[in-house]
Amino acid sequence: MKKQKKFFLGVTVVLFLVFLSACGGGSSETSSDGNTEETYKLTMNVAYPPSKVDDDVLMNGTKRFAELVEERTDGRVKVDVFYSNQLVPQDQLLDALKTGTVDFGYSGPQYYGDTIPTAFFTNLPFFGKDIDHMMSLIREKGIDKIVDEEMKANGVKLLFYGPTGEYGLMGKKPIRSIDDIKGMSLRAAGGLWTPWYESLGASPVNVAAAEIYEALQRGTVDAVPYPFYTLNDYSYHEVVDSITTPGVIPSAVTASFMSLKTWNKLPEDIQNVITEVSQEIELENVEKYRLVQEKALQFAKENGVEVIELSDEEYNRFVQSSQVVWDEFAKMNDNTKKIVEIMREDME
């Protein structure tokens, strides 16, 4: 009887140790030189389906990121990438990162603006005239530090940004002047934009992303603010007659996030690798953006879509009209106020 009890006790202890090992996210492994090193198997939840090509911003920030981290840690870190929200729904990603249920996340920052108000900055109209100006505001003027501070307060570390393509007005009716907006129906782009639309005499219409093609085809909306590369990728050139540049936003923005809980568990040398790889990926993403942008405009011209370039005067009128959105954003908290101050100081 005593032997039987000892047997069950032994089994219980073994199972408990296995459970702890499974929950820890790391395991010990002896290298060829006899040293024991901790290895880490981490997860990444991506909000989007995988791209058809491997060299765009999305795959660079997910698949290539995971490959580089594994390579430069000599296999000590392996990141399993799950696309299309396989691990958690998009609206639950922040909570999953905070608790460490998921180690990395890839999504649009503005999607979490209700929890992290500063993240809305990526959706502010005309916060940069082009990609270089936008990245300068983020990385050189200090916007990134303000956003990161708020992210960390919510248990999340922002690793890098992924600009995916110029986000501008495209539709059936040409927009050569701010006056052309009056009377138009435009796809709504978030609550902060509503007062701006109304001040321009436009009507915001709620249209799901999956319904944009049909909405343009049927005339439910006259124009939509959306990435220009979708003219080709989603065949919007079939229902769009013109696009207007510069875009309302220099680029639609995605970003890579990491659980602060996971980050703090990692040794310093692995943290350094992740930081180094993140910086490289972001620089590569900017260059990939340029290629996407060039191809999008060329595709438009070759497929009968007029590319309208705003004069400096008209562009400035658009910027001034959008200040109502900036004002609403600034009211959200002290951090959003600081971001608007940086942007306006840069305009002077």
Side-chain angles (χ1 to χ4, degrees), residues 178-179 181-183 186 195-202 317-318 321:
I178 196 170
D179 300 320
I181 297 288
K182 188 174 183 179
L186 304 180
W196 179 42
Y197 278 5
E198 291 174 346
S199 71
L200 297 175
R317 289 181 68 196
F318 268 104
S321 73

Side-chain angles (χ1 to χ4, degrees), residues 124-128 166-169 193 196 225 228 244 246-250 318:
L124 291 179
F126 303 105
F127 80 87
E166 188 171 10
Y167 188 96
L169 291 166
W193 286 36
W196 179 42
F228 292 149
T244 301
V248 179
I249 300 175
F318 268 104

Side-chain angles (χ1 to χ4, degrees), residues 54-103:
D54 271 352
D55 63 347
D56 67 354
V57 169
L58 172 63
M59 301 308 286
N60 199 51
T62 55
K63 181 183 177 183
R64 177 168 160 76
F65 172 83
E67 291 171 346
L68 287 178
V69 169
E70 182 172 1
E71 175 187 317
R72 294 188 189 176
T73 59
D74 296 321
R76 291 168 62 200
V77 177
K78 180 175 176 55
V79 182
D80 289 329
V81 183
F82 297 85
Y83 294 94
S84 303
N85 295 311
Q86 290 180 61
L87 297 181
V88 292
Q90 190 173 15
D91 60 357
Q92 295 176 25
L93 177 60
L94 284 189
D95 287 337
L97 289 168
K98 187 174 184 178
T99 60
T101 306
V102 170
D103 302 301

Side-chain angles (χ1 to χ4, degrees), residues 43-344:
T43 57
M44 178 189 293
N45 189 76
V46 183
Y48 316 104
S51 301
K52 296 177 182 178
V53 294
D54 271 352
D55 63 347
D56 67 354
V57 169
L58 172 63
M59 301 308 286
N60 199 51
T62 55
K63 181 183 177 183
R64 177 168 160 76
F65 172 83
E67 291 171 346
L68 287 178
V69 169
E70 182 172 1
E71 175 187 317
R72 294 188 189 176
T73 59
D74 296 321
R76 291 168 62 200
V77 177
K78 180 175 176 55
V79 182
D80 289 329
V81 183
F82 297 85
Y83 294 94
S84 303
N85 295 311
Q86 290 180 61
L87 297 181
V88 292
Q90 190 173 15
D91 60 357
Q92 295 176 25
L93 177 60
L94 284 189
D95 287 337
L97 289 168
K98 187 174 184 178
T99 60
T101 306
V102 170
D103 302 301
F104 295 95
Y106 196 93
S107 182
Q110 70 280 359
Y111 192 85
Y112 307 104
D114 289 338
T115 303
I116 302 174
T118 53
F120 270 135
F121 90 90
T122 59
N123 205 39
L124 291 179
F126 303 105
F127 80 87
K129 189 165 186 177
D130 54 36
I131 187 65
D132 294 317
H133 185 206
M134 182 186 89
M135 295 309 298
S136 172
L137 284 168
I138 294 173
R139 292 304 192 189
E140 296 173 18
K141 303 295 183 179
I143 289 178
D144 58 341
K145 293 179 176 61
I146 298 171
V147 176
D148 196 43
E149 176 186 322
E150 205 163 88
M151 289 277 179
K152 286 179 177 176
N154 285 274
V156 178
K157 179 178 177 63
L158 197 151
L159 297 177
F160 59 86
Y161 291 95
T164 60
E166 188 171 10
Y167 188 96
L169 291 166
M170 53 187 189
K172 290 289 190 181
K173 299 179 180 179
I175 300 174
R176 294 184 170 84
S177 163
I178 196 170
D179 300 320
D180 294 331
I181 297 288
K182 188 174 183 179
M184 280 192 174
S185 297
L186 304 180
R187 179 179 183 247
L192 287 176
W193 286 36
T194 300
W196 179 42
Y197 278 5
E198 291 174 346
S199 71
L200 297 175
S203 302
V205 180
N206 290 318
V207 177
E211 299 170 357
I212 288 177
Y213 185 102
E214 185 178 351
L216 286 166
Q217 186 179 46
R218 294 187 173 185
T220 307
V221 291
D222 297 309
V224 298
Y226 218 59
F228 292 149
Y229 66 79
T230 58
L231 289 169
N232 183 10
D233 290 11
Y234 300 161
S235 300
Y236 288 167
H237 68 283
E238 297 173 353
V239 290
V240 166
D241 293 329
S242 65
I243 62 174
T244 301
T245 64
V248 179
I249 300 175
S251 176
V253 177
T254 55
S256 178
F257 311 99
M258 186 172 184
S259 166
L260 204 54
K261 191 173 182 179
T262 301
W263 172 265
N264 290 333
K265 288 180 180 178
L266 299 176
E268 186 177 357
D269 65 318
I270 289 180
Q271 290 180 344
N272 290 340
V273 168
I274 291 173
T275 298
E276 175 187 279
V277 170
S278 296
Q279 291 170 346
E280 286 182 27
I281 290 289
E282 184 170 284
L283 290 174
E284 290 174 0
N285 283 344
V286 171
E287 293 310 308
K288 289 180 183 297
Y289 164 95
R290 297 188 202 283
L291 293 175
V292 167
Q293 178 67 2
E294 183 181 333
K295 288 179 181 178
L297 296 180
Q298 186 62 33
F299 179 84
K301 294 172 182 176
E302 291 175 353
N303 286 271
V305 177
E306 183 182 5
V307 178
I308 299 169
E309 295 184 26
L310 293 174
S311 65
D312 289 343
E313 180 184 355
E314 283 301 325
Y315 176 79
N316 289 330
R317 289 181 68 196
F318 268 104
V319 173
Q320 290 305 314
S321 73
S322 70
Q323 295 307 292
V324 62
V325 183
W326 294 24
D327 290 340
E328 290 303 309
F329 175 70
K331 293 176 184 176
M332 297 182 80
N333 64 27
D334 289 341
N335 287 328
T336 58
K337 183 179 179 182
K338 289 177 187 175
I339 289 176
V340 171
E341 287 173 353
I342 289 172
M343 290 163 56
R344 284 187 168 145

